[in-house]
Amino acid sequence: MNKDGTMNGNAGKEYDGLDRFDCREKLWSDMEGEGLAIKAEPHTQRVPRSQRGGEVIEPLVSSQWFVKTEGMGKKALDAVENGDIRIVPQRFEKIWNNWLTDIHDWCVSRQLWWGHRIPVWYVNGSETEYVVARNAEEAREKAIEAGHGEDAKLVQEEDVLDTWFSSGLWPFATVGWPQTEGQEGPTDLNRFYPGTCLETGYDILFFWVARMAMMGLELTGKAPFDVVYLHGLVRAPDGSKMSKTKGNVIDPLDTVDQYGADSLRYSLVTGVTPGQDIPLNMDKLESNRNFANKLWNCAKFV
């Protein structure tokens, strides 16, 4: 199958170029015509569809770019073990260790329109001959060094990097890396990297935090932060995770309109410890609104 959902030459001359749905109809018709079909029965099945567009998703084997993570993972693992990075609360170190101990190569190819394009340039239309470079000029230089002519056609990879790969560059890429890497003096990179404390949710400890640690240690030689402070998640009243798909998201602006900003703030900060989830219960908001109102009346009376 081609990437546009049509059949390729491997499907045979009669089906080459047909749309996937038309091909299925023709294939079944041909099987019936040859007496190969036994019977047809309607049945219910789960068809995977795109959440955004609703299109039917087809499994497709294709070439992808991977990053070897064993070396980077070991550096991030050691950083926590030797105290260079401290995770609060400490119990999440076990999750950190589990992820980084049993780590696999990371598929960073994404077939999306937006993102950082993978810095690979294919030479003369070949899928096996390519150069990796920071920009098109450097790619041209490397292609010539590899023995290709100055008029060689270079085409950059259309796939973009995984979002978590791009996000993993954030601590140092936002302050001048790699342009000011190795420079002396008061550059932003020297002044602001590494940072001190990262505050984030525990649910992305591996997806984002570990990637920042791995890439920071690999590319700069320094851990991007000293402390990782993990807060809990604000959940629905029944304890489930808020999700647009489930339709159980509570809009904070609507909550403020109904109960006031002070009661919402107070409900979120009271009784909260690092890494502990917060069910956003409307009864709690109402009682805290009444409490805030009593404080107001007391202050007004005084």
Side-chain angles (χ1 to χ4, degrees):
M1 187 179 291
N2 299 313
K3 290 184 178 180
D4 62 356
T6 59
M7 309 310 293
N8 59 35
N10 293 323
K13 293 183 179 180
E14 295 185 4
Y15 310 107
D16 186 12
L18 287 178
D19 178 81
R20 53 180 167 163
F21 299 112
D22 296 335
C23 179
R24 286 170 186 157
E25 294 291 338
K26 179 172 174 53
L27 178 61
W28 182 252
S29 176
D30 291 346
M31 290 176 65
E32 287 183 322
E34 295 291 334
L36 300 175
I38 299 174
K39 62 179 178 179
E41 291 182 350
H43 66 280
T44 302
Q45 63 175 341
R46 185 184 295 272
V47 179
R49 290 184 176 271
S50 168
Q51 184 180 14
R52 293 185 178 180
E55 299 88 353
V56 175
I57 298 174
E58 302 287 352
L60 180 67
V61 177
S62 61
S63 299
Q64 305 290 323
W65 287 96
F66 285 78
V67 171
K68 293 190 71 66
T69 55
E70 186 177 355
M72 293 191 293
K74 181 66 165 58
K75 292 177 181 179
L77 192 64
D78 292 342
V80 171
E81 289 182 354
N82 61 30
D84 290 342
I85 297 177
R86 185 165 62 94
I87 300 176
V88 181
Q90 191 175 2
R91 70 177 185 271
F92 285 98
E93 287 185 8
K94 182 177 180 181
I95 297 175
W96 180 276
N97 294 339
N98 287 342
W99 273 106
L100 295 176
T101 300
D102 187 28
I103 196 168
H104 301 280
D105 290 343
W106 178 10
C107 178
V108 294
S109 294
R110 295 295 181 270
Q111 294 73 49
L112 301 172
W113 287 112
W114 303 110
H116 295 131
R117 287 178 71 178
I118 292 177
V120 170
W121 279 261
Y122 296 101
V123 182
N124 294 326
S126 172
E127 293 186 357
T128 57
E129 292 190 52
Y130 55 84
V131 293
V132 179
R134 292 176 183 262
N135 50 52
E137 291 75 18
E138 184 178 314
R140 176 68 60 183
E141 294 174 1
K142 287 189 174 183
I144 294 174
E145 291 175 1
H148 300 285
E150 295 185 1
D151 59 345
K153 182 181 179 182
L154 300 180
V155 178
Q156 187 177 357
E157 170 67 67
E158 293 185 352
D159 285 4
V160 300
L161 291 167
D162 173 28
T163 300
W164 296 116
F165 187 100
S166 297
S167 300
L169 303 173
W170 173 81
F172 44 93
T174 54
V175 289
W177 182 92
Q179 289 82 3
T180 60
E181 184 181 14
Q183 292 184 14
E184 300 293 335
T187 64
D188 286 347
L189 184 62
N190 293 334
R191 292 175 62 193
F192 300 113
Y193 185 86
T196 303
C197 179
L198 173 73
E199 194 275 341
T200 187
Y202 67 80
D203 56 328
I204 53 175
L205 177 62
F206 175 74
F207 297 108
W208 187 37
V209 182
R211 265 74 180 265
M212 285 191 288
M214 288 193 299
M215 300 177 75
L217 289 163
E218 180 71 20
L219 299 175
T220 72
K222 301 176 182 177
F225 29 72
D226 299 328
V227 178
V228 179
Y229 186 95
L230 300 174
H231 63 245
L233 305 180
V234 179
R235 293 185 174 271
D238 61 356
S240 61
K241 192 170 184 178
M242 290 189 187
S243 166
K244 291 181 180 179
T245 305
K246 293 180 179 178
N248 62 349
V249 176
I250 298 175
D251 191 327
L253 296 179
D254 294 338
T255 306
V256 168
D257 288 340
Q258 186 174 359
Y259 298 103
D262 289 334
S263 62
L264 178 59
R265 293 192 189 104
Y266 188 71
S267 299
L268 293 176
V269 302
T270 53
V272 176
T273 56
Q276 191 68 35
D277 290 343
I278 313 163
L280 192 57
N281 193 304
M282 295 298 106
D283 292 336
K284 182 179 180 181
L285 281 168
E286 185 175 0
S287 62
N288 287 335
R289 180 200 60 187
N290 297 338
F291 175 67
N293 190 51
K294 288 180 180 179
L295 289 178
W296 168 262
N297 289 334
C298 290
K300 187 177 180 182
F301 176 76
V302 172

